[in-house]
Amino acid sequence: MNILKFSLKNAMQMLFITALLATSFGSYSQDISYAKSVIKKLASTEFKGRGYVHNGDKRASSFIANEFKKFGLQPINKGSYFQDFNLSVNTFPGKIYVKLNDLVLTPGEDYLVVTTSPSIKGKYKVISVSRKDIDTEAKFRVLIDKAADCFILLDSRPNSEETKEEKNRIEANITSLKEDFKLKFKGFIEYNDLKLTWRTLTYQTTRPVITINRKDFNSSDITSIDVSIESKFVPEYTTRNVIGMIKGSSNTDSLLVVSAHYDHLGMMGKDSYFLGANDNASGTAFMLNLARYCSKNQPKYNMVFIAFSGEEIGLLGSRAFVKNPLIDLKKIKFLNNFDLAGTGEEGIRVVNGTVFRSKFDALVKLNQEHNLLPKVDIRGELNRSDHHPFYEKGVPSFYIYTQGGIKAYHDIYDKPETLPLTEFDDYFKLMVLFFATL
C-alpha cells in the first residue's frame, strides 16, 4: 500500500511538471525578450553603473520597484517597496586624467584608479623601480626616503628567480606602498599584466594608487606624471533594497525568497562606466522574470522578491535586511539568490549544494529529466553573495551562477551587447520546475 501511494505521488508530480512544460513555456520567447530589455535598461549609461554617483543606485531601484508594481507585487515595508540603509563609500564623480611623460592613458582600458584613492591634481616626478629594488627592508626604506614628493612606479610582474622568502617580502612591501598610512610619498603606480578589475570600497586612504596594464608600456622610461583625480568620500550615503511579495495559494505563512543584487561599481570619472550587464543586471532580470511569471501563475507559498543594494561593497544590503528583517526569517522554506546569470555554456554552479544536498540532487534530477542545462555543478559554502547573511542566520539557501562564455567581470567590457544569455531560457525553466518541488 505504501509503495502504491509512493508511485501515485511520483506519477502525479511528473504529470504536474509535464503540464508546466507544456503550458508555461510555450511563449517563452516573450520572457527572454523581457529579460533582454531589463538588462539593456539597467546596464545603460542612464543608470550610471548602478553605483553611488549621480544617484545611479536610486534610478535602478526605482525602475525595479515600478516593475514590481506593474506585476502586482505587494510592498511589505509600510506600503513601500524600499528599505533604506546607510553605507560609506569612496566615489569618483569628477575628472580622471593620467599622462605619463607624453603618453595620455585611457581610463578603464589602460589603467584603473584604485577605489580607495583620494583627490590629487598636478605634475610630479616619477621614480621607476623593479621588484629587485624592494626585495629587502633596507632598499625599501631608501626608496621611501627618496620618493618624498614623487610617485613610485613599480613593475610588479613576478620574477621566476625569486625565492619564496624574497617573493613574500616583496609582496608585503607592495601592499605597504598601496595601503600604509605612515609612508610619506605622493602616489603609487603599479604596472603588471593582470586583468584590470575594479571594485568599490568603504574607505579612503592617504595616497592615490593607479594600476596599469598596457602591452606596449615601458615603465623604466617614465619620469613624470600629470594627474587629475577627483574623488569624494561619502561617510553616510543612503541607498535602498527593493522588496515585493506575491501571496501563495496555500494560505500558510511559509515563504520562498528570490533575491539578486542590482548594484554595481558605478563610474570612475565622468566617462568610464562599469555597466555590469552580467554582474548583476542579468541576475536582476532573472529575478524580475520569475516575479513576472509568478504574478501570472500563483505559487503555492508566499514568494518574496528582494533586489539588494550594497552587495559589491561588502554584502551590505543583505546584511542590513537580516539585521532589520521585514519578514520572519524562520518562516523561509528556501532562498535562491541569483548572480551572474548571463552565460551558461558550461552550465550552472550551486553554492551550498553540499550543505543542502537533497535540494541539490532534486535540481540535478530535474535538469537531467528535461535535458535543460549542460551541467549542474556543486559547490560548498561561500560568503561572496547575498545568500550568506541569511545562511548565517539558519536560512536554507542556494547561490547560483552561470559558467562559461565571456570573461568580462568588474571591468568596462561587461556590457549588454556582449552578454550572450546562452542558457537563460533553459535556466529559467529549470528554476520554475525547482520552485514547484519546494
Side-chain angles (χ1 to χ4, degrees):
M1 186 65 178
N2 287 338
I3 294 174
L4 179 60
K5 285 182 178 179
F6 179 77
S7 299
L8 285 171
K9 181 181 178 182
N10 279 1
M12 291 299 293
Q13 185 179 52
M14 286 306 299
L15 283 171
F16 172 70
I17 289 173
T18 301
L20 269 177
L21 285 172
T23 61
S24 301
F25 304 124
S27 59
Y28 183 68
S29 60
Q30 181 182 0
D31 290 320
I32 197 166
S33 177
Y34 170 72
K36 287 179 178 179
S37 71
V38 169
I39 293 168
K40 185 177 180 180
K41 185 77 171 179
L42 287 174
S44 67
T45 56
E46 175 188 352
F47 288 88
K48 311 298 179 184
R50 304 188 306 282
Y52 311 109
V53 292
H54 311 306
N55 292 317
D57 63 313
K58 292 181 177 63
R59 297 178 191 219
S61 62
S62 293
F63 170 78
I64 295 165
N66 286 334
E67 296 301 287
F68 281 178
K69 184 177 181 180
K70 185 192 303 181
F71 302 149
L73 273 67
Q74 299 176 12
I76 61 174
N77 189 16
K78 299 176 182 177
S80 174
Y81 290 109
F82 301 120
Q83 180 192 43
D84 289 355
F85 66 96
N86 292 332
L87 54 79
S88 58
V89 60
N90 198 39
T91 64
F92 299 87
K95 182 179 180 181
I96 298 287
Y97 176 82
V98 174
K99 182 170 76 169
L100 297 174
N101 291 356
D102 295 322
L103 177 65
V104 177
L105 299 180
T106 303
E109 294 181 15
D110 298 331
Y111 74 94
L112 295 174
V113 175
V114 173
T115 325
T116 56
S117 298
S119 295
I120 191 170
K121 184 176 183 179
K123 189 169 184 177
Y124 302 92
K125 181 181 176 182
V126 172
I127 298 175
S128 295
V129 296
S130 68
R131 292 172 66 93
K132 192 169 181 59
D133 295 316
I134 59 168
D135 62 2
T136 69
E137 188 63 23
K139 290 180 182 178
F140 183 75
R141 290 296 162 189
V142 169
L143 172 63
I144 297 303
D145 291 341
K146 182 180 177 183
D149 295 313
C150 306
F151 271 68
I152 295 172
L153 169 56
L154 171 71
D155 184 342
S156 67
R157 292 174 296 176
N159 186 333
S160 59
E161 297 178 0
E162 293 169 0
T163 66
K164 183 177 180 180
E165 187 177 79
E166 286 173 332
K167 182 177 181 180
N168 290 339
R169 192 160 51 239
I170 291 168
E171 293 301 328
N173 284 337
I174 292 173
T175 299
S176 294
L177 290 171
K178 294 177 180 178
E179 300 178 1
D180 192 335
F181 282 69
K182 298 176 183 177
L183 301 180
K184 304 298 180 184
F185 60 98
K186 284 295 181 183
F188 178 55
I189 308 166
E190 182 181 12
Y191 168 58
N192 58 44
D193 53 9
L194 302 177
K195 177 184 174 297
L196 291 175
T197 303
W198 213 43
R199 59 185 301 197
T200 50
L201 288 168
T202 60
Y203 61 95
Q204 187 181 94
T205 53
T206 56
R207 73 183 64 88
V209 178
I210 299 166
T211 303
I212 297 175
N213 179 346
R214 183 180 165 117
K215 290 182 179 179
D216 60 349
F217 186 72
N218 188 346
S219 61
S220 61
D221 291 341
I222 304 302
T223 59
S224 69
I225 181 172
D226 189 353
V227 60
S228 179
I229 297 172
E230 293 182 29
S231 68
K232 181 181 181 182
F233 178 69
V234 186
E236 289 285 329
Y237 182 90
T238 300
T239 186
R240 56 200 187 185
N241 299 324
V242 194
I243 309 101
M245 185 174 75
I246 294 176
K247 281 284 189 180
S249 61
S250 64
N251 292 318
T252 70
D253 55 3
S254 295
L255 302 166
L256 297 178
V257 177
V258 180
S259 67
H261 76 90
Y262 71 84
D263 65 300
H264 197 50
L265 307 179
M267 299 174 65
M268 190 184 77
K270 294 180 177 180
D271 301 313
S272 296
Y273 293 87
F274 292 80
L275 299 174
N278 197 25
D279 186 18
N280 189 33
S282 66
T284 306
F286 199 90
M287 179 200 66
L288 286 173
N289 241 10
L290 284 166
R292 183 172 179 259
Y293 171 83
C294 290
S295 71
K296 299 175 181 178
N297 302 271
Q298 186 181 25
K300 179 178 180 181
Y301 297 106
N302 299 330
M303 293 196 69
V304 177
F305 295 84
I306 312 176
F308 291 112
S309 185
E311 191 268 358
E312 298 289 7
I313 205 167
L315 312 184
L316 299 186
S318 49
R319 294 196 187 282
F321 187 93
V322 166
K323 185 177 179 180
N324 299 285
L326 300 176
I327 54 177
D328 187 346
L329 301 184
K330 294 179 182 178
K331 298 293 176 62
I332 300 175
K333 287 175 63 67
F334 210 80
L335 178 148
N336 276 271
N337 180 57
F338 297 101
D339 201 348
L340 303 166
T343 61
E345 289 86 344
E346 297 172 18
I348 58 173
R349 180 160 288 177
V350 183
V351 172
N352 278 355
T354 60
V355 182
F356 304 102
R357 188 61 194 247
S358 63
K359 294 290 191 292
F360 174 80
D361 290 343
L363 188 63
V364 171
K365 185 179 179 182
L366 286 170
N367 187 62
Q368 291 172 344
E369 287 174 347
H370 300 287
N371 193 28
L372 295 169
L373 299 176
K375 186 166 52 173
V376 178
D377 275 344
I378 194 167
R379 187 165 183 170
E381 297 179 19
L382 185 70
N383 64 351
R384 291 179 58 188
S385 198
D386 284 315
H387 72 292
H388 195 73
F390 291 84
Y391 174 61
E392 289 179 315
K393 293 293 185 180
V395 175
S397 52
F398 282 161
Y399 152 39
I400 309 178
Y401 57 94
T402 56
Q403 300 184 97
I406 62 168
K407 303 302 180 184
Y409 175 75
H410 281 218
D411 55 34
I412 62 172
Y413 305 107
D414 185 8
K415 301 180 289 188
E417 55 266 33
T418 58
L419 190 63
L421 297 178
T422 315
E423 292 289 340
F424 197 93
D425 53 353
D426 284 338
Y427 186 15
F428 179 83
K429 293 174 187 177
L430 177 61
M431 294 316 302
V432 169
L433 295 172
F434 178 65
F435 278 120
T437 69
L438 294 175

